[in-house]
Amino acid sequence: TASSPHRTFIAIKPDGVQRGLVGEIIKRFEQKGFHLVAMKFMQAPEDLLKEHYIDLKDRPFYPGLVKYMSSGPVVPMVWEGHGVVSTGRVMLGETNPADSKPGTIRGDFCIQVGRNICHGSDSVESAKKEINLWFKPEELTSYSSCSEKWIYE
């Protein structure tokens, strides 16, 4: 890819999986032109979730968040593309779905912050950290998409 695009970590939370929205969320990132380089379907262990949300450990909702995130399968993914971290956040919508615009994933599919169906890295640095936490280097693929010349100038 031209001038090394960024990667971001996107995870579909248990509510997104239970509601059958996995395909729709993947579809939106694919249609945008982003490149899927890793994906798992898994039951996340609590220690992984505690580490993932370590920045929130002093918040009152932290134990409930970890418990909720381990309540069912999740779909962690790595997407690649120019501006993927910031654009991915825009595509997801605001953390609180009530503040999310129609057309965003949260604006279209959810109502309450505790059931906001997906997680997306909030910076290039946190994306690197989250990708390394959820995926081993050998689980990340590197390939060229035949559609690349139709997405990038």
Side-chain angles (χ1 to χ4, degrees):
T1 52
S3 75
S4 78
H6 289 140
R7 287 180 168 178
T8 195
F9 176 78
I10 302 289
I12 303 171
K13 296 178 180 181
D15 53 326
V17 173
Q18 292 290 341
R19 293 180 55 204
L21 295 171
V22 174
E24 177 65 30
I25 293 166
I26 291 169
K27 176 183 165 192
R28 288 184 182 215
F29 278 84
E30 284 181 327
Q31 284 180 333
K32 181 70 177 174
F34 292 131
H35 193 60
L36 182 63
V37 295
M39 180 170 68
K40 297 178 187 179
F41 185 86
M42 66 186 286
Q43 182 75 39
E46 275 199 24
D47 59 335
L48 173 64
L49 294 165
K50 283 178 178 169
E51 180 62 27
H52 178 84
Y53 288 113
I54 195 77
D55 297 351
L56 303 173
K57 74 177 186 306
D58 297 328
R59 304 292 288 273
F61 58 81
Y62 175 77
L65 175 61
V66 171
K67 184 173 187 275
Y68 161 66
M69 286 296 291
S70 62
S71 70
V74 295
V75 181
M77 299 175 283
V78 180
W79 290 90
E80 188 176 82
H82 296 286
V84 71
V85 176
S86 55
T87 303
R89 295 282 291 185
V90 172
M91 289 169 64
L92 295 183
E94 300 300 321
T95 302
N96 185 346
D99 300 328
S100 298
K101 292 181 173 43
T104 64
I105 291 165
R106 291 173 179 149
D108 288 351
F109 298 115
C110 47
I111 296 168
Q112 287 190 310
V113 72
R115 298 290 179 268
N116 68 0
I117 70 175
C118 39
H119 165 85
S121 301
D122 60 7
S123 68
V124 173
E125 297 71 36
S126 65
K128 286 184 176 129
K129 190 180 118 211
E130 291 168 354
I131 291 166
N132 290 332
L133 185 63
W134 289 80
F135 292 92
K136 297 181 193 104
E138 62 270 19
E139 293 176 310
L140 300 168
T141 61
S142 187
Y143 65 101
S144 293
S145 169
C146 59
S147 64
E148 207 168 294
K149 67 180 180 181
W150 302 109
I151 295 168
Y152 299 110
E153 294 180 60

